[in-house]
Amino acid sequence: MLSIWARNIAPSPTLAVDAKAKALRAEGRDVCGFGAGEPDFDTPAFIKAACARALDEGRTKYAPTAGVPALRRAIADSYNARGFAVSENQVVVSPGGKMSCYLAILATVSPGDEVIIPAPFWVSYPEMVKLAGGVPRFVPAEDSAGFKITPGQLRAAITPRTRLLVLNSPSNPTGAVYTEPELRALVGVALEAGLFVLSDEIYEQLVYDGQAACHPALFGGEAAGRVITVSGFAKTYSMTGWRLGTLVASREVASAVADLQSQTTSNVTTFAQHGALAVFEQPALARAAVAEMLAHFDRRRLSLLAGLNAIGGVRCYRSQGAFYLFPNIGAFGLGSDEFCARLLDEELVAAVPGSAFGAEGYVRLSYATADATIEKGLERLARFCGRLRR
Ligand SMILES: *Cc1c(COP(=O)(O)O)cnc(C)c1O
């Protein structure tokens, strides 16, 4: 018999939807894919060129576990320019933001510890907590509250066994962005209770409507020591396949994370790290690349949002971050799994059921896809929903 880890793990439902859509496409079917959690742009050329140069120069050997020194320093400098006061040994570069989150959880959660996760949540948090022997405790972030939890809800969920609060703003799957006062209030409650806070800021640069993501680690007092800040290159620079995540934490947590990494993955691919370094060495190009992608995302966000809300029975919150919309489909009387399965079968539209994110009655649509796909996908979705209402 396989281990309890193997038996208890649920495979990633978002990757599964994406795989099914890709398989249908490989059969020549015209699938409109809203399932993918990745930008549809190529990685900016200057980043690829820096990586190719590193490969040519023979940077193909092991690097220090926690990251290439120049990259760790550049990441520390970049946070310090935003008000942090961290040294490079508080920075760990890991194979993806996903791994950064997992190692942060392994470094802080012991068997039996409880971890508070606002729901809807990113699919991996509960599974990672379980792999650490911890117990996920969900707090519902209601649609009517902009998919945000309140300090009162958080306080009520804390028990003597609670160790960690997971925050993800901008959020996958809802696109909700907490304001600074809202986050300050939540982090205040967590710190008062002596919790660690995992702040997953992977979408920090993908914000709209004049919103700005903020850093809970800067909230003063205990925050710098207790907040673990995770980010990465995947979503901001369209580098999902490069596997490059970052973690900034207290010296104690960062060195525990580096030790865990030293016995598991070792360093991130050395030449990939040199590619990422170009983001800091050529900041004007990096800013321009992000601004261009952001303009496309924002246009698509607004057209998908308007199209969804024009479909009878669909109600969609105006998300302000990441590249997802999370419409309510409760009016159709189908579970989200069945809704998405039939949508793919009958109309070749791929979306991820809300059940995957702990939110029945919703589906997640990614607008990191071509404008033409959004237009065609909306027509198909409208036809599908029209049939369900008859
Ligand atoms: C995509 C994503 C990550 C990490 O992605 P990587 O590809 O592992 O860098 C982390 N958190 C959330 C919420 C994400 O959506």
Side-chain angles (χ1 to χ4, degrees), residues 328-360:
N328 182 299
I329 49 101
F332 300 104
L334 290 184
S336 60
D337 290 317
E338 193 186 348
F339 186 94
C340 289
R342 283 183 53 184
L343 182 61
L344 186 56
D345 280 347
E346 297 175 22
E347 292 289 347
L348 292 173
V349 172
V352 187
S355 61
F357 309 97
E360 198 37 83

Side-chain angles (χ1 to χ4, degrees), residues 96-98 122 125 168 172 200 202-203 234-235 240 243 324:
K98 188 177 266 187
W122 182 45
Y125 301 135
N168 174 219
N172 175 4
D200 180 352
I202 195 92
Y203 296 101
K235 309 295 164 57
T240 44
R243 313 312 303 135
Y324 309 104

Side-chain angles (χ1 to χ4, degrees), residues 74-296:
I75 292 167
D77 288 347
S78 145
Y79 276 102
N80 290 340
R82 288 174 272 166
F84 281 64
V86 291
S87 63
E88 55 247 51
N89 56 21
Q90 290 172 260
V91 175
V92 181
V93 181
S94 296
K98 188 177 266 187
M99 195 66 182
S100 305
C101 290
Y102 182 45
L103 294 177
I105 289 167
L106 279 184
T108 53
V109 174
S110 298
D113 286 350
E114 295 177 5
V115 177
I116 295 178
I117 303 175
F121 46 75
W122 182 45
V123 294
S124 295
Y125 301 135
E127 301 305 313
M128 290 171 171
V129 167
K130 288 192 257 167
L131 282 175
V135 182
R137 294 283 183 221
F138 303 112
V139 175
E142 306 289 351
D143 194 345
S144 56
F147 291 116
K148 298 170 184 180
I149 64 165
T150 64
Q153 284 181 293
L154 175 58
R155 202 171 285 118
I158 294 173
T159 76
R161 307 232 50 173
T162 311
R163 277 295 275 172
L164 178 70
L165 164 67
V166 177
L167 291 175
N168 174 219
S169 173
S171 155
N172 175 4
T174 66
V177 183
Y178 284 88
T179 65
E180 183 172 333
E182 288 166 344
L183 269 187
R184 267 187 196 278
L186 291 177
V187 172
V189 171
L191 297 181
E192 215 172 274
L195 310 187
F196 282 105
V197 177
L198 167 56
S199 180
D200 180 352
E201 303 173 15
I202 195 92
Y203 296 101
E204 59 184 314
Q205 304 220 38
L206 305 183
V207 285
Y208 319 97
D209 292 345
Q211 287 284 328
C214 64
H215 303 295
L218 296 181
F219 289 167
E222 299 278 296
R226 308 291 290 182
V227 177
I228 304 167
T229 304
V230 166
S231 190
F233 297 85
K235 309 295 164 57
T236 309
Y237 299 102
S238 205
M239 292 172 69
T240 44
W242 290 59
R243 313 312 303 135
L244 273 160
T246 65
L247 176 147
V248 177
S250 68
R251 221 169 276 246
E252 188 187 20
V253 170
S255 78
V257 165
D259 288 345
L260 287 163
Q261 184 158 297
S262 76
Q263 296 288 20
T264 51
T265 62
S266 297
N267 66 279
V268 176
T269 309
T270 305
F271 43 88
Q273 292 191 60
H274 283 277
L277 187 54
V279 162
F280 303 101
E281 289 180 338
Q282 298 174 76
L285 286 176
R287 270 195 304 276
V290 174
E292 193 190 333
M293 290 192 264
L294 203 55
H296 289 294

Side-chain angles (χ1 to χ4, degrees), residues 8 115 202 279 304 369 380:
N8 285 350
V115 177
I202 195 92
V279 162
L304 184 58
T369 188
R380 295 179 182 184

